[in-house]
Amino acid sequence: RIDVSLDDRLYRIRLSRAPGIEWGTDLSFSFVYVRDMEPTGQASLSGMVNKGDQLCELIPVTTKPGDVAKPVNLLGASFDFVMTSFASLDRSVSEMDLVFFRGSKDELKQP
């Protein structure tokens, strides 16, 4: 689980499974970021998510008693891996906690 307190450019937000985000990548098809947002989508309406923010982590919000959702590290992950992670969420998952980095891929890669 990413500790968002380590860098003020990291933030966690709970969004619906269909957040209204169009995802993009660089030419290597990795480092998935927010390419665009539907103006009436939850991500845009939250006022927190910006175009260009890098996706770092996904945690499904589970409502099943006793279930503990495991974080999925998406830092530098391929586009296919990220999309498969979203698509393979259990049908009972309607919300997810996402961690974003507000900055460029190069800034994110710096130690």
Side-chain angles (χ1 to χ4, degrees):
R1 186 175 179 123
I2 294 175
D3 183 355
V4 296
S5 69
L6 296 176
D7 189 313
D8 61 359
R9 296 169 294 179
L10 287 168
Y11 66 95
R12 183 180 316 276
I13 183 170
R14 182 164 291 181
L15 294 171
S16 71
R17 189 175 180 150
I21 294 174
E22 181 182 317
W23 304 105
T25 65
D26 64 7
L27 293 176
S28 70
F29 297 104
S30 60
F31 288 93
V32 175
Y33 67 92
V34 178
R35 186 171 150 212
D36 204 0
M37 292 184 285
E38 295 172 17
T40 58
Q42 189 182 22
S44 179
L45 294 174
S46 75
M48 284 184 63
V49 182
N50 291 335
K51 291 180 186 177
D53 289 355
Q54 305 284 326
L55 181 61
C56 300
E57 183 181 71
L58 158 73
I59 303 174
V61 176
T62 181
T63 56
K64 292 180 181 177
D67 263 6
V68 177
K70 294 181 182 166
V72 180
N73 185 345
L74 302 175
L75 193 61
S78 71
F79 185 81
D80 287 345
F81 179 80
V82 172
M83 293 304 108
T84 300
S85 296
F86 283 123
S88 63
L89 291 173
D90 188 90
R91 296 181 117 188
S92 67
V93 173
S94 61
E95 291 184 312
M96 53 196 172
D97 289 338
L98 299 176
V99 173
F100 289 97
F101 176 81
R102 182 154 295 134
S104 70
K105 174 184 85 168
D106 292 334
E107 291 172 313
L108 181 59
K109 289 167 62 173
Q110 292 176 356

